[in-house]
Amino acid sequence: MLVAHGGVVDRVIVAALLVFAVATMARIRTQIAADAQAATLCLGLAFACNVALQAAGAVLLPGNLGQRLTVGLILGNRNVGLVWSALGAAASPRMALYFAATQLPIYILPRLIETLIGRDKRRARA
């Protein structure tokens, strides 16, 4: 069933992500402009935490490299969006800035992981 309706499911997910992004990022640009140093710190911390969790999963868990990196990716990309949504107005502006920063490694690092898995597969075939 999913294969037959995959395109529809993809469109719904993209629309939901777009609504989430627009709603949650509304005041983030103002915060970045007001305190670029804090924004840079939040971004660095977001990438560091994500990479550390991914690395821990990839190093500590069994399986081939592809399996370990996939599990590491799941560990690193914990769903802070749900936490952020649940906090609502209770989230401080700095907390919201950090949560916004955590979205970048979620979307950027999977491509890096895909590249590493591809290299490992090519090396295994050689």
Side-chain angles (χ1 to χ4, degrees), residues 3 33 35-36 58 68 70 90 106 108-109 112-113 117 122-123:
V3 173
D35 193 352
R68 293 190 334 257
T70 299
I106 287 171
I108 293 171
L109 292 177
L112 177 63
I113 300 302
I117 291 172
R122 284 191 300 276
R123 191 176 309 136

Side-chain angles (χ1 to χ4, degrees), residues 20-121:
F20 171 77
V22 169
T24 56
M25 303 293 180
R27 292 168 282 176
I28 300 302
R29 183 174 180 206
T30 306
Q31 288 185 51
I32 293 169
D35 193 352
Q37 185 176 4
T40 303
L41 177 65
C42 285
L43 186 60
L45 185 60
F47 270 95
C49 289
N50 192 300
V51 168
L53 287 168
Q54 286 191 42
V59 169
L60 298 174
L61 298 170
N64 64 40
L65 180 63
Q67 292 168 333
R68 293 190 334 257
L69 288 174
T70 299
V71 172
L73 183 66
I74 293 166
L75 290 173
N77 290 337
R78 67 253 169 252
N79 200 338
V80 295
L82 289 177
V83 175
W84 192 5
S85 298
L87 285 172
S92 70
R94 183 63 54 90
M95 189 182 300
L97 181 61
Y98 174 74
F99 285 154
T102 62
Q103 300 307 300
L104 291 171
I106 287 171
Y107 293 105
I108 293 171
L109 292 177
R111 180 66 178 152
L112 177 63
I113 300 302
E114 182 181 44
T115 301
L116 292 173
I117 291 172
R119 282 185 191 166
D120 186 58
K121 285 181 181 177

